[in-house]
Amino acid sequence: MKDLRERTIHAGFVRICAQAASFLIRVGSLIVLARLLDPSDFGLVSMVTAFTGVLSLFRDFGLSAASVQRAVVTEEQTSTLFWVNILLGGFLTIVALALAPVVGAFYHEPRLFWITSVVAIGFVLNGAGVQHSALLQRQMRFTALVLIDIFSLMIGTFIAIGMAKAGYGYWALVSMTVSLPLTTTLGLWLATTWVPGMPRRARGILSMMRFGGTLTLNGLVLYVAYNLEKVLLGRFWGAEAIGIYGRASQLIRFPTDNLNSAVGEVAFAALSRIQDDPERLKRYFLKGYCLVLALTLPITIACALFADDLIFVLLGPKWKDAAEIFRILTPTILVFAIANPLGWLLISLGLVERGLKIALVFAPLMIVSYVIGLPYGPRGVALAYSAVMTLGVVPISAWAVHGTVICVWDILKALSRPLASSVAAAGVAFAVHVFYGPMLSPLPRLVLESILFGTTYLGALLFVAGQKSFYLDLLRGSKGQGPAEEKVANVCRKVCTVTGLLKPAAAQAERQARLLRRWRQIVGRHVLDRSGGEEG
């Protein structure tokens, strides 16, 4: 546990770099596919994933999180959980196949039957890799995990783009949903080299399933709350409306989804290891929390400022209607950045029931807001969604941290410095936009304003807000400095002493005395005294 800090920071650094690469790949694929496919193609797949996404919440039944959260997990428990996940995956595949005609009838779109049938295969593929992923997380082998994720994403992206260029339309997007779990599971099996044994009635399985079941129910409630608007828009406004809304929503969720996946996976594994050490847990959590906020706040404000140019550059001119929805949804980036990390805290402490209670209170409010905004189309739904999320973040945060080592003041303190730096950067970028923006085309304008915004933000955060030492400490930790480095140095000293490369203490003292006498002869006693004072 002594090198947990270095391993955690290093793993977090690796995950952030990997998620940055993943982000670029996803955005790049979206840019290309948005130009090769029509909004209705994306809309058809979104209609299906709105249904199958509910089933995907049950694909591991929270058992991967249960495996990581437990201090000790036996071989028998892991093998039994693997077979439970396989059964769940097979069951969900059958359920999805049975729902295929229902999905087509609900939207009055017969093409959805075959899309749903193909997407259903992904459930059993995912189930085969759940416990292998949990093993890598417990071992803090996040480099292997990120390489698998990036490799799988690249393969899925190449397949989708190839099929889109060949004229397969929406089937290009469907192929990506199947190729991703297939390549990911193969990579996990190769990385762990673990072969599960036969299932047995291992002690502790029921409590782990109870933990996972509560976590899964929590995820189900939140999924319905965050995605029902897509089902309603598809049902009452058609494929094109949900295609436009879905792409704007997808772009908005990219930053928080990537950051939460990068930092959250590492933070959860680390916090679970130190859940019985409150002071250490608080210190670790706040460092990760500050990092997420520092990365997310500028993205929130930049998206609001540059919405029109972002949509034009990323998606193309035929998606211009998505720009307004994109801007309306930008406050939700900040809301998810504040709220999602609190989930790491609750789950690592085993407080999954509190998370479920929060979800059960919050979800009905979200659903009512969708119903109110639905008559006004995608814009009305986006405004209702964003408003409820923004108004609910403070009470939800206070409820989540109540009785834990974290308080509301800790959250406000972590939020204050990146928020002030973001506002300052926004002022600079907006001034440039007003005076020079009309003279530039969208791409050069976006590049110029983004560079000025990012430079101003970093300068304000690191030097004006005094966060330079905090991030330098994180960077040093990511390079493995600290106690772990001391261990290596101590071992090296012992080896050198044994092999005679280091002189005994008496010989060292005699050699130093000779050097001091030589210095006196060359530069004089007063220079020696001064040099010794400075070195001391």
Side-chain angles (χ1 to χ4, degrees), residues 58-72:
F58 296 91
R59 66 186 181 187
D60 72 345
F61 204 65
L63 297 180
S64 60
S67 297
V68 176
Q69 194 267 342
R70 285 297 178 94
V72 178

Side-chain angles (χ1 to χ4, degrees), residues 92-115:
L92 292 174
T93 296
I94 295 172
V95 172
L97 290 172
L99 284 176
V102 178
V103 174
F106 179 80
Y107 288 113
H108 307 296
E109 176 55 73
R111 289 176 292 180
L112 299 182
F113 172 83
W114 294 109
I115 296 175

Side-chain angles (χ1 to χ4, degrees), residues 7-290:
R7 293 171 63 192
T8 301
I9 295 176
H10 177 72
F13 182 76
V14 169
R15 286 295 291 169
I16 289 175
C17 292
Q19 287 303 119
S22 174
F23 175 80
L24 293 175
I25 295 171
R26 290 180 185 276
V27 171
S29 67
L30 185 61
I31 292 172
V32 176
L33 292 172
R35 285 160 172 78
L36 294 175
L37 303 174
D38 294 326
S40 59
D41 293 324
F42 286 91
L44 287 170
V45 178
S46 294
M47 289 175 174
V48 172
T49 54
F51 274 92
T52 58
V54 176
L55 297 179
S56 68
L57 297 171
F58 296 91
R59 66 186 181 187
D60 72 345
F61 204 65
L63 297 180
S64 60
S67 297
V68 176
Q69 194 267 342
R70 285 297 178 94
V72 178
V73 179
T74 66
E75 174 74 17
E76 289 183 350
Q77 289 174 333
T78 306
S79 295
T80 302
L81 292 177
F82 168 83
W83 292 108
V84 171
N85 285 132
I86 288 290
L87 289 175
L88 281 171
F91 175 73
L92 292 174
T93 296
I94 295 172
V95 172
L97 290 172
L99 284 176
V102 178
V103 174
F106 179 80
Y107 288 113
H108 307 296
E109 176 55 73
R111 289 176 292 180
L112 299 182
F113 172 83
W114 294 109
I115 296 175
T116 307
S117 300
V118 174
V119 169
I121 301 172
F123 291 115
V124 71
L125 296 175
N126 270 313
V130 169
Q131 291 304 314
H132 292 77
S133 177
L135 282 173
L136 292 177
Q137 290 182 56
R138 285 187 63 83
Q139 298 165 5
M140 302 291 283
R141 293 176 58 190
F142 291 100
T143 301
L145 283 169
V146 299
L147 289 175
I148 293 168
D149 289 344
I150 292 175
F151 182 70
S152 302
L153 183 59
M154 289 177 65
I155 291 178
T157 299
F158 289 146
I159 292 174
I161 292 175
M163 291 185 66
K165 290 184 71 175
Y168 284 96
Y170 56 85
W171 285 112
L173 302 174
V174 175
S175 69
M176 201 169 182
T177 64
V178 177
S179 61
L180 272 173
L182 174 61
T183 52
T184 299
T185 297
L186 288 174
L188 291 170
W189 275 72
L190 292 172
T192 58
T193 66
W194 174 70
V195 179
M198 294 303 294
R200 297 178 182 178
R201 291 189 59 182
R203 185 176 296 178
I205 289 292
L206 289 179
S207 63
M208 295 174 76
M209 292 189 68
R210 189 161 48 246
F211 178 95
T214 305
L215 194 60
T216 301
L217 183 56
N218 183 15
L220 174 62
V221 174
L222 289 177
Y223 182 86
V224 172
Y226 294 147
N227 292 277
L228 183 61
E229 87 278 24
K230 299 178 184 67
V231 176
L232 296 175
L233 284 171
R235 177 66 176 81
F236 294 101
W237 288 86
E240 186 170 350
I242 183 57
I244 291 172
Y245 181 92
R247 295 293 68 73
S249 177
Q250 183 183 19
L251 282 175
I252 282 294
R253 293 295 300 270
F254 263 161
T256 49
D257 285 352
N258 277 267
L259 282 172
N260 195 59
S261 176
V263 182
E265 194 174 73
V266 177
F268 171 53
L271 294 175
S272 296
R273 303 281 77 75
I274 56 173
Q275 56 184 288
D276 297 324
D277 188 345
E279 290 301 318
R280 199 177 181 196
L281 183 140
K282 179 177 181 179
R283 190 166 63 250
Y284 274 49
F285 173 79
L286 289 178
K287 283 188 175 182
Y289 197 48
C290 288

Side-chain angles (χ1 to χ4, degrees), residues 252-375:
I252 282 294
R253 293 295 300 270
F254 263 161
T256 49
D257 285 352
N258 277 267
L259 282 172
N260 195 59
S261 176
V263 182
E265 194 174 73
V266 177
F268 171 53
L271 294 175
S272 296
R273 303 281 77 75
I274 56 173
Q275 56 184 288
D276 297 324
D277 188 345
E279 290 301 318
R280 199 177 181 196
L281 183 140
K282 179 177 181 179
R283 190 166 63 250
Y284 274 49
F285 173 79
L286 289 178
K287 283 188 175 182
Y289 197 48
C290 288
L291 180 61
V292 169
L293 291 177
L295 293 173
T296 310
L297 267 166
I299 294 174
T300 304
I301 295 178
C303 287
L305 283 176
F306 313 141
D308 293 318
D309 288 343
L310 276 169
I311 294 298
F312 184 86
V313 171
L314 295 179
L315 301 183
K318 64 182 177 182
W319 294 86
K320 62 180 181 179
D321 292 338
E324 185 179 355
I325 297 171
F326 182 81
R327 181 177 284 109
I328 293 171
L329 291 174
T330 49
T332 63
I333 302 176
L334 177 58
V335 173
F336 281 115
I338 294 172
N340 281 345
L342 300 179
W344 320 335
L345 181 67
L346 293 179
I347 299 171
S348 63
L349 292 174
L351 300 175
V352 289
E353 292 183 0
R354 180 183 297 184
L356 178 58
K357 291 176 183 177
I358 293 173
L360 289 173
V361 171
F362 186 60
L365 299 176
M366 295 294 299
I367 294 171
V368 170
S369 73
Y370 300 149
V371 175
I372 294 173
L374 188 62

